[in-house]
Amino acid sequence: MTTYPVRPVARVESALDLTTAPKQGDEGAPPARVVFDPQFHTAAADLRPGDRLVLLTWLHAADREVQAVHPRSDPDRPVQGVFSTRSPDRPNPIGLHTVTVTAVEDGTLTVTGLEAIDGTPVLDVKPVLGEVAER
């Protein structure tokens, strides 16, 4: 099988761990920091407070062998394949998070809406696109 090496561009600093993380960022995630590796400061130089971003993360604490789960860990819900859920446990545990930047300082973003746990590697950062006319 072909492999595709990736390298983190940043890491998450958060008060969250596996026992305290909400299921989604809009379900009570506290502010968090995205700390860029110095070699990627230029790539992050134009990010500003108010920006809405999509973060792609590597959910490093996930179980990569899991293929089916009870959605939202609710045993009353029928088991579903992970590709139809947002479970962090999956063959390639890539997280997708829409966040809002509230502060920028020295290669570090403070963001809201990020439910990733402390130490989560950030693989990429992309802006949320506006309407076609705004692009």
Side-chain angles (χ1 to χ4, degrees):
M1 177 172 279
T2 304
T3 61
Y4 301 93
V6 296
R7 58 185 176 169
V9 298
R11 295 230 181 258
V12 172
E13 289 183 354
S14 171
L16 297 174
D17 60 29
L18 287 176
T19 64
T20 59
K23 300 288 185 195
Q24 297 297 319
D26 62 357
E27 296 177 356
R33 293 169 26 107
V34 176
V35 181
F36 286 91
D37 186 290
Q39 69 179 319
F40 298 112
H41 283 194
T42 300
D46 299 309
L47 300 175
R48 301 283 180 257
D51 286 350
R52 297 213 0 103
L53 305 173
V54 175
L55 304 183
L56 297 171
T57 61
W58 188 260
L59 304 174
H60 63 293
D63 183 341
R64 296 184 72 179
E65 301 304 313
V66 172
Q67 293 193 31
V69 297
H70 291 281
R72 300 186 69 82
S73 302
D74 181 351
D76 292 332
R77 296 175 80 168
V79 171
Q80 290 181 241
V82 295
F83 295 153
S84 65
T85 76
R86 295 294 298 260
S87 172
D89 297 322
R90 53 198 321 110
N92 287 309
I94 297 170
L96 179 68
H97 318 268
T98 302
V99 302
T100 300
V101 178
T102 59
V104 179
E105 183 180 339
D106 299 327
T108 299
L109 308 177
T110 301
V111 300
T112 60
L114 181 56
E115 78 282 12
I117 65 173
D118 189 56
T120 298
V122 177
L123 303 179
D124 203 359
V125 177
K126 296 178 182 272
V128 172
L129 295 178
E131 298 298 319
V132 173
E134 298 171 1
R135 295 182 199 160

